[in-house]
Amino acid sequence: MSKRLGILISGRGSNLLAIADAIAAHRLDAEIAVVISNRLEAPGIALARERGLHAVALASKGLDREAYDHQLIDELRRSRVDLVCLAGYMRILSGHFIREFHQRILNIHPSLLPAFPGLDAQHQALEHGVKFSGCTAHFVEEGLDSGPIISQAVVPVLADDTADALSTRILEEEHRIYPEAIGLVLSGQYRIEGRRVRRNLK
Ligand code: GAR
């Protein structure tokens, strides 16, 4: 039986759609059990519903981190989720949530971590003057954008780049590597040694 994904979003939802596309094209063997947005107005919620996905808007505004994460855990449990995928989820998770889904939370971040964690990673890359940036799919641990790295893709920074243009090119790579990383984790064909994620040899 396909493993069940819980996808957490805060906004646009393009990574969510890339995961849904990979499943529809049989590139990823999984089922999206629930999509949860912490922002009521997130466009990704409507997109998820258009695809016939179970999507829940659970507002986090004004709620204390632990209290909100308890609600999230309840919702994910109700949907019997095997793996939690953050897809543009712009809220830090509590230690409690991270322990609850130990090594079962993934994130996609628009930089080559550990460079430029946090907000506006593409803008940070331009400001810093790096010649290459990219994206990282990684396990989520306590500590911002800090867990073991599953995969990365490199994107050159062009001389006349704007944050928008760079973001668009990085996003294309996010859409490619994130479903692949999810597939690897669901297959169980990897091990974590220290900070290193190693693929098992076939
Ligand atoms: C993506 O670029 C994702 O990497 C980034 O937010 C965007 C969400 O787009 N996430 C972070 O910066 C997390 N630190 P999407 O809603 O279209 O998937």
Side-chain angles (χ1 to χ4, degrees):
M1 229 173 51
S2 296
K3 293 279 174 64
R4 297 169 66 80
L5 305 180
I7 302 187
L8 305 189
I9 65 168
S10 298
R12 182 175 54 185
S14 74
N15 276 289
L16 154 70
L17 291 188
I19 296 165
D21 286 346
I23 293 172
H26 304 290
R27 281 184 280 117
L28 174 62
D29 178 17
E31 184 184 334
I32 298 177
V34 64
V35 176
I36 305 174
S37 170
N38 70 310
R39 293 203 183 126
L40 297 181
E41 70 287 1
I45 282 288
L47 292 177
R49 290 186 179 141
E50 277 169 26
R51 296 276 182 120
L53 299 171
H54 173 45
V56 178
L58 195 61
S60 60
K61 209 169 176 186
L63 280 183
D64 145 78
R65 197 172 306 291
E66 288 266 335
Y68 180 72
D69 282 3
H70 275 287
Q71 291 186 24
L72 264 186
I73 292 168
D74 286 347
E75 197 62 54
L76 292 164
R77 278 211 192 118
R78 248 198 300 281
S79 293
R80 292 176 287 111
V81 158
D82 298 300
L83 186 70
V84 178
C85 301
L86 310 186
Y89 184 69
M90 297 309 208
R91 193 175 156 91
I92 291 172
L93 291 166
S94 61
H96 175 66
F97 186 101
I98 290 169
R99 285 188 294 278
E100 183 74 24
F101 289 96
H102 178 66
Q103 291 186 345
R104 289 191 296 139
I105 313 168
L106 307 187
N107 183 40
I108 183 78
H109 183 77
S111 74
L112 295 174
L113 290 172
F116 315 127
L119 292 177
D120 295 325
Q122 305 92 332
H123 182 74
Q124 292 185 54
L126 276 183
E127 288 289 296
H128 199 89
V130 293
K131 303 300 180 196
F132 293 91
S133 190
C135 52
T136 304
H138 65 97
F139 285 98
V140 173
E141 283 183 348
E142 284 189 59
L144 188 62
D145 299 322
S146 68
I149 291 170
I150 304 162
S151 62
Q152 294 186 304
V154 175
V155 174
V157 178
L158 307 179
D160 57 353
D161 251 346
T162 60
D164 275 354
L166 179 60
S167 300
T168 303
R169 295 199 318 283
I170 291 176
L171 197 62
E172 262 181 52
E173 292 300 300
E174 295 183 33
H175 295 167
R176 185 176 64 77
I177 71 165
Y178 202 22
E180 281 177 12
I182 294 168
L184 174 70
V185 171
L186 291 183
S187 75
Q189 295 303 310
Y190 70 96
R191 58 202 188 280
I192 302 177
E193 294 173 359
R195 287 200 40 86
R196 302 178 78 173
V197 179
R198 293 183 181 275
R199 282 164 201 259
N200 292 342
L201 295 174
K202 294 240 167 81

